[in-house]
Amino acid sequence: MADSGVTDGSLKKDEIERSKSEGRELTKEEKQRLRKEKKQQKKNKEKKDDNASQESEKEKKSVSSSSSAPQPPTQPATQKAPSAVPAPAPAVVPASETPAPVEKPAKSKAELKAERRARQEAERASKQGKKGETGQQAATGKPKAPPSELQPVVKRLPEHIQVDNPDVLKKLAKKLERQQIPLRLDYGYKVSLFSHLHQYSRKAPLTQQLSIPSSVIHPAIVRLGLQYSQGIVAGSNARSVALLHAFKQVIRDYTTPPNEELSRDLVNKLKPYISFLNQCRPLSASMGNAIKYIKKEISNIPSQCKEEEAKGKLLNCIECYINEKIILAAKAIAKYAIEKISDGDVILVYGCSSLVNHILCEAFEKNRKFRVIVVDSRPRLEGREALRRLVQRGISCTYVLISAVSYILPEVSKVFLGAHALLANGYVMSRVGTSQIALVAKAFNVPVLVCCETYKFCERVQTDSFVSNELDDPDDLIVTRKGKTQLEDWQQVPLLGLLNLVYDVTPPDFVDLVITDLGMIPCTSVPVVLRVKNVDL
Amino acid sequence: LVVENEATMPGSDKETDLTERIEAFLSDLKRGGSGTGPLRGSAETARETTALLRRITAQARWSSAGDLMEIIRKEGRRMTAAQPSETTVGNMIRRVLKIIREEYARSRGSSEETDQQESLHKLLTSGGLSEENFRQHFAALKANVIEAINELLTELEGTTDNIAMQALEHIHSNEVIMTIGRSRTVEAFLKDAARKRKFHVIVAECAPFCQGHEMATSLSKAGIETTVITDAAIFAVMSRVNKVIIGTQTVLANGGLRAVNGTHTLALAAKHHSTPLIVCAPMFKLSPQFPNEEDTFHKFVSPHEVLPFTEGEILSKVNVHCPVFDYVPPELITLFISNIGGHAPSYIYRLMSELYHPEDHEL
């Protein structure tokens, strides 16, 4: 009994298990259901429950369209009487089963959805105070967000790595509709290994679909979104700083509506902005941390605080954050890193990392004698920007492409790399190509030093570059040489795909040292730093 | 090249015609190596060299094997000087020299086996075969040598097909194969396997010349599911790759490779993930060179490919390198597939001794 719409393997097993066991004893529905409910409440598989519940809710939705009458009455009924849960469930099932298609999977899903629904209502009833939307949702007959928000143990999977799950996409579309933000469509043929990620075209920015003037989204945010999607603002630090400045503008222009509290309303105002920016370009780890900080600060504002005072406080907080975590951190890291640069060094850098450029410029100011080799890669060619900045300062530079790195590496004494994020299992997430440079450097026994501020540390874990990544516009790979563009019609050729990855993860055994504002630590100490930071907060 | 009958052309015209052809070939070689990748594949170069050598054998004036070898060596030095990176020219010349030696030895009547077994006693007492002066004249030598060169030419024509025939032994279905740049041998190899099996190919584009693009379009038109990736993504994607199949420009005497730049990174990434690295190289690419000669190993082309002249402001203040080849050490290679079958890199030295005579290593 294969579930056609579900791609998650473990989820399939669960469904099959349950449907199998149900298939055997159709006559003892109620007893079975009771036993199952108890079992499921004990089970800890939150994520599978989420997906299964979403799915069953979708099924229920499609079924309920034909039998909408029994549904709304059962919802308030089950809300008020959680103990009477088994009773309405069989009532719902025969009603919904008759219009349901004769296929086996749909039938078992209908039965599943009933107990899912019952279980969720029970949980919701027990935690009613938290979400005021429940009653509203039940009235409109639309399924609510999964109960994961009520279980803080496991985080919900971010939407942008579940593109192959149609339920998640539907949910996202509905959420964006509610927030009045246009949905960005995927572009081009996606390589099968990456069908779980979005792939957008740079030629179709989201802002084209917005009405002007946009009443929902603050113009500073619209401008920021456009800058992100077109690559005008790129680089982890630059994006975070731009985001924080835009939020400062939003806070300045904000007025609390009557009968609302600033601490709650402002957070709700920020949510559509964040969705919009996410649609323009997936948020980076540093941006995520910055947003978490802001939300925390906003919700910590005491309710008796006057509006002007509160706004002033928030603006101050943001200024402090930028100053501490980015500017002062850069100074501290430069101080540590300069100890590692000696006279006569040949330093290899990759791409354009603002932090590494800062370090090299500082070292040059302090009269260290070294030369730099800048390695670059297509299609972004960010290394040229780094080259310009270094040459302007007067540092002697060499420039090569990444395919020539094994030619140039015997000359190199150290490798300095920047990072986009440091993951909790010690892996370094950075621009694609970084892991390759670290690999070749290791083969030639050249030390690799990664420079990263602590605000980029994130609690995710990842072991390969596939599960969570970003796919850039595939048309960037097209190049015209000698008047011939080989890949011009790649869309017409059915079996040809172009892959433009943005990030990759470097295993910790390739990295010798991580220089942070807290000092010089090995790659594996990242979870320690995170723990210490969380305790402080 | 059309082989004209000797009898129809008078002697002096033959000479000038021959020199013209040699000059034309040399200028072709010089032009062909301007760094935009070989305008002609190595197989064509090998064929043309061999045909030219056959012409020299047929039309030049020589009376003994020694003379012929001198002539060929002289022309050979000029040809290799015209384009040092095109090693197939040198390889073919050494093959023909070996053929001449063999034919001479056969005409003299000594059996081939005793010649090849250079016993220690012989080496110490007689000073080896270098005393042999190849001065004897044999009437049938010319015809024998030309026949042997014809056999060599037939072998050359069939190399790509021979390699492609072995494809099904190495590729199973639903594999993910990675390759870099453009190699006609690998293209034929994969297309042959695609007739019977379904698999997925990832092509690294190999900047700055981006020959991977051509390879990808050609493979996808043959019905193979292809993906083009940038060079920077090689390590990121390697964990999903089952095999790496590459071509090469030259196979060196120690079993290492001189391949297009970026291959060393690919080999290291494959080693890290324990993915087998298979090199498809026909026998004429085997060269008695070693990788230690720094000044002749690397070839550089205009850095304009890497940093174009539009970046004028910084161009004058930076050094830009654009190497064409990479050295891949033999430890990173799993298997060589050539037209005579598959070998381990440690076996290459043996094949070398069968193809070339040690005295011909230096032309």
Side-chain angles (χ1 to χ4, degrees):
Chain A
M1 287 208 276
D3 294 327
S4 44
V6 181
T7 48
D8 189 35
S10 50
L11 175 56
K12 221 192 251 186
K13 268 189 243 156
D14 261 334
E15 296 265 6
I16 291 174
E17 255 182 85
R18 276 179 223 126
S19 46
K20 262 194 199 161
S21 50
E22 288 190 31
R24 278 186 233 125
E25 301 176 82
L26 278 172
T27 52
K28 300 177 188 171
E29 281 175 18
E30 289 186 45
K31 290 184 196 167
Q32 194 69 11
R33 214 161 282 125
L34 269 172
R35 258 183 257 142
K36 276 224 177 66
E37 267 152 21
K38 282 188 198 153
K39 253 192 252 169
Q40 279 150 18
Q41 274 162 14
K42 284 177 195 164
K43 271 189 194 167
N44 273 336
K45 296 175 191 176
E46 315 291 343
K47 272 184 197 169
K48 287 180 212 163
D49 289 347
D50 289 352
N51 287 341
S53 68
Q54 283 171 31
E55 242 222 307
S56 50
E57 280 174 323
K58 295 291 169 248
E59 281 297 318
K60 177 185 163 285
K61 201 177 144 245
S62 56
V63 169
S64 69
S65 56
S66 43
S67 59
S68 47
Q71 301 303 22
T74 34
Q75 289 183 35
T78 50
Q79 248 188 337
K80 287 169 199 160
S83 53
V85 151
V92 173
V93 169
S96 51
E97 260 189 84
T98 38
V102 194
E103 296 168 9
K104 265 194 192 168
K107 242 198 214 170
S108 50
K109 275 182 191 168
E111 292 169 311
L112 278 171
K113 63 137 171 60
E115 48 187 60
R116 292 244 149 273
R117 187 104 207 108
R119 194 175 60 77
Q120 279 169 36
E121 294 305 326
E123 283 167 7
R124 238 174 265 146
S126 62
K127 301 187 184 182
Q128 233 176 29
K130 206 165 187 192
K131 303 281 173 189
E133 303 157 286
T134 318
Q136 195 188 11
Q137 292 273 6
T140 53
K142 280 188 181 171
K144 197 195 163 293
S148 65
E149 286 172 20
L150 313 174
Q151 272 122 23
V153 180
V154 177
K155 292 168 279 221
R156 190 177 36 178
L157 262 186
E159 175 277 326
H160 70 270
I161 59 169
Q162 288 192 79
V163 176
D164 52 351
N165 191 344
D167 304 325
V168 174
L169 288 178
K170 273 190 227 163
K171 230 175 45 78
L172 174 72
K174 269 202 298 268
K175 175 173 138 203
L176 291 179
E177 220 181 287
R178 233 185 318 130
Q179 296 173 337
Q180 295 172 288
I181 295 169
L183 176 67
R184 198 169 185 196
L185 294 170
D186 280 359
Y187 166 77
Y189 170 72
K190 241 188 283 185
V191 178
S192 54
L193 285 169
F194 290 95
S195 54
H196 61 290
L197 299 173
H198 281 298
Q199 180 170 279
Y200 299 129
S201 164
R202 195 165 298 125
K203 297 203 194 71
L206 198 58
T207 45
Q208 278 177 355
Q209 301 174 39
L210 280 182
S211 58
I212 294 173
S214 162
S215 52
V216 177
I217 306 178
H218 193 281
I221 302 278
V222 175
R223 186 176 68 181
L224 188 65
L226 189 61
Q227 284 172 335
Y228 281 167
S229 67
Q230 298 301 104
I232 300 172
V233 174
S236 182
N237 278 341
R239 283 165 73 190
S240 307
V241 170
L243 177 73
L244 291 169
H245 282 301
F247 275 177
K248 271 168 57 179
Q249 188 62 35
V250 167
I251 291 174
R252 269 189 223 116
D253 297 339
Y254 172 73
T255 45
T256 324
N259 301 336
E260 289 283 349
E261 277 213 30
L262 182 133
S263 54
R264 272 199 222 115
D265 187 57
L266 187 52
V267 177
N268 286 341
K269 272 274 175 358
L270 288 181
K271 278 194 190 144
Y273 300 164
I274 295 168
S275 310
F276 172 72
L277 291 175
N278 207 2
Q279 284 288 292
C280 289
R281 190 174 163 192
L283 297 179
S284 64
S286 51
M287 286 164 74
N289 286 346
I291 289 174
K292 250 189 261 172
Y293 174 78
I294 292 181
K295 281 191 177 166
K296 192 178 71 69
E297 287 298 315
I298 294 176
S299 38
N300 281 350
I301 300 248
S303 41
Q304 62 268 29
C305 210
K306 278 200 286 271
E307 188 177 313
E308 284 310 313
E309 206 186 307
K311 278 163 57 163
K313 215 198 275 189
L314 284 175
L315 292 174
N316 208 15
C317 278
I318 295 183
E319 266 306 316
C320 273
Y321 188 81
I322 295 180
N323 211 17
E324 251 179 53
K325 305 279 182 180
I326 301 178
I327 299 177
L328 286 177
K331 288 208 178 91
I333 293 177
K335 197 165 67 80
Y336 288 125
I338 288 173
E339 292 168 30
K340 291 287 171 193
I341 300 179
S342 23
D343 284 343
D345 259 349
V346 179
I347 297 178
L348 186 124
V349 299
Y350 176 61
C352 184
S353 165
S354 51
L355 188 55
V356 174
N357 290 341
H358 178 82
I359 291 173
L360 293 176
C361 294
E362 287 289 307
F364 195 70
E365 301 286 314
K366 298 223 163 49
N367 293 326
R368 292 271 202 273
K369 306 268 174 296
F370 59 91
R371 67 182 177 93
V372 176
I373 298 180
V374 179
V375 178
D376 203 8
S377 76
R378 281 194 72 235
R380 287 175 164 244
L381 294 173
E382 291 171 329
R384 291 192 189 166
E385 181 56 42
L387 196 63
R388 267 178 229 123
R389 290 184 201 172
L390 294 174
V391 166
Q392 256 176 8
R393 293 302 195 99
I395 304 176
S396 60
C397 297
T398 307
Y399 179 78
V400 287
L401 286 182
I402 195 170
S403 37
V405 88
S406 31
Y407 162 72
I408 204 100
L409 219 86
E411 298 176 16
V412 174
S413 60
K414 288 186 182 72
V415 178
F416 272 79
L417 299 172
H420 169 88
L422 240 59
L423 304 176
N425 58 344
Y427 278 64
V428 179
M429 182 175 208
S430 184
R431 186 65 81 219
V432 68
T434 313
S435 54
Q436 213 163 293
I437 299 221
L439 169 79
V440 184
K442 189 92 188 166
F444 282 87
N445 263 325
V446 174
V448 175
L449 292 91
V450 171
C451 308
C452 183
E453 300 96 335
T454 45
Y455 87 103
K456 288 181 185 162
F457 286 17
C458 100
E459 288 179 358
R460 261 190 321 126
V461 289
Q462 201 177 320
T463 50
D464 61 18
S465 319
F466 292 88
V467 291
S468 173
N469 206 328
E470 199 186 316
L471 294 178
D472 211 355
D473 192 351
D475 288 335
D476 287 344
L477 290 183
I478 302 178
V479 70
T480 306
R481 284 183 53 85
K482 300 181 148 187
K484 279 198 339 182
T485 314
Q486 285 290 337
L487 294 178
E488 205 160 10
D489 316 309
W490 71 276
Q491 305 251 31
Q492 269 75 35
V493 183
L495 294 163
L496 186 59
L498 302 185
L499 185 61
N500 191 357
L501 282 179
V502 181
Y503 298 119
D504 74 3
V505 282
T506 308
D509 28 333
F510 292 161
V511 178
D512 293 305
L513 190 66
V514 178
I515 307 179
T516 68
D517 38 326
L518 296 176
M520 303 198 247
I521 59 175
C523 238
T524 42
S525 296
V526 169
V528 176
V529 171
L530 280 172
R531 194 183 173 77
V532 165
K533 269 204 330 181
N534 284 343
V535 164
D536 283 344
L537 290 175
Chain B
L1 289 177
V2 177
V3 179
E4 283 157 340
N5 206 337
E6 277 187 296
T8 57
M9 291 189 73
S12 58
D13 284 343
K14 258 200 283 183
E15 294 278 329
T16 46
D17 180 58
L18 184 60
T19 13
E20 268 174 32
R21 282 186 194 270
I22 296 178
E23 294 305 321
F25 184 63
L26 284 177
S27 52
D28 244 354
L29 276 180
K30 279 194 197 133
R31 242 184 296 127
S34 60
T36 50
L39 276 183
R40 46 166 61 174
S42 338
E44 287 170 51
T45 316
R47 250 175 276 149
E48 288 202 20
T49 316
T50 318
L52 190 61
L53 291 174
R54 182 177 59 185
R55 185 171 282 274
I56 294 176
T57 316
Q59 295 181 351
R61 291 178 194 284
W62 53 276
S63 55
S64 68
D67 289 340
L68 180 58
M69 281 173 27
E70 259 317 301
I71 296 174
I72 289 187
R73 249 191 277 242
K74 191 178 80 148
E75 296 301 332
R77 272 190 285 258
R78 286 178 67 206
M79 285 191 228
T80 45
Q83 188 60 253
S85 68
E86 195 60 58
T87 43
T88 42
V89 174
N91 296 346
M92 288 298 105
I93 291 165
R94 293 183 185 98
R95 286 290 284 274
V96 170
L97 287 173
K98 173 112 191 204
I99 286 175
I100 297 172
R101 281 175 204 265
E102 276 176 7
E103 291 300 326
Y104 183 77
R106 205 180 299 147
S107 304
R108 276 181 79 232
S110 47
S111 78
E112 286 177 39
E113 280 174 26
T114 52
D115 274 346
Q116 280 174 13
Q117 276 172 20
E118 291 183 358
S119 74
L120 204 53
H121 181 252
K122 223 201 233 173
L123 279 172
L124 286 173
T125 55
S126 62
L129 290 168
S130 53
E131 299 270 318
E132 181 72 59
N133 58 5
F134 294 99
R135 289 289 152 213
Q136 263 182 303
H137 175 79
F138 292 106
L141 188 61
K142 191 180 220 174
N144 286 347
V145 169
I146 292 183
E147 197 187 311
I149 297 183
N150 282 334
E151 275 175 29
L152 180 59
L153 271 175
T154 356
E155 185 196 315
L156 286 179
E157 270 157 36
T159 47
T160 316
D161 290 329
N162 281 334
I163 293 178
M165 276 192 325
Q166 303 173 48
L168 283 177
E169 292 171 12
H170 297 281
I171 300 179
H172 60 79
S173 39
N174 274 333
E175 269 202 286
V176 179
I177 295 179
M178 185 178 244
T179 183
I180 186 169
R182 178 160 192 226
S183 163
R184 283 170 193 75
T185 319
V186 174
E187 212 180 302
F189 191 80
L190 293 174
K191 282 183 181 168
D192 195 85
R195 285 189 293 127
K196 299 273 170 59
R197 306 251 158 97
K198 277 235 145 309
F199 53 91
H200 188 129
V201 175
I202 299 180
V203 180
E205 65 177 7
C206 189
F209 307 116
C210 294
Q211 294 205 317
H213 293 188
E214 258 183 79
M215 176 86 155
T217 32
S218 151
L219 286 177
S220 56
K221 291 206 175 94
I224 304 175
E225 202 182 325
T226 321
T227 305
V228 178
I229 61 165
T230 52
D231 299 328
I234 287 178
F235 184 71
V237 168
M238 182 59 78
S239 50
R240 292 295 168 271
V241 174
N242 297 119
K243 283 194 177 75
V244 180
I245 301 183
I246 55 174
T248 174
Q249 203 260 356
T250 311
V251 179
L252 301 166
N254 64 345
L257 298 183
R258 183 159 139 199
V260 75
N261 71 336
T263 313
H264 188 216
T265 312
L266 183 64
L268 283 172
K271 185 81 179 186
H272 182 262
H273 288 97
S274 300
T275 309
L277 178 68
I278 297 177
V279 180
C280 291
M283 277 287 106
F284 65 80
K285 286 192 178 167
L286 197 54
S287 161
Q289 263 185 330
F290 277 89
N292 309 328
E293 307 119 45
E294 275 310 313
D295 45 349
T296 50
F297 185 83
H298 279 292
K299 175 177 155 186
F300 297 90
V301 290
S302 162
H304 149 79
E305 308 280 351
V306 172
L307 194 60
F309 294 119
T310 46
E311 302 280 337
E313 306 171 351
I314 42 177
L315 202 56
S316 50
K317 301 179 193 145
V318 299
N319 297 326
V320 183
H321 297 290
C322 186
V324 179
F325 298 121
D326 240 355
Y327 170 61
V328 182
E331 302 83 63
L332 301 176
I333 301 169
T334 318
L335 184 69
F336 280 97
I337 295 183
S338 72
N339 46 315
I340 51 181
H343 330 280
S346 46
Y347 188 62
I348 294 290
Y349 82 96
R350 190 75 194 148
L351 292 171
M352 191 90 62
S353 64
E354 283 174 17
L355 289 179
Y356 311 124
H357 194 274
E359 288 179 7
D360 295 332
H361 288 337
E362 289 291 322
L363 276 182

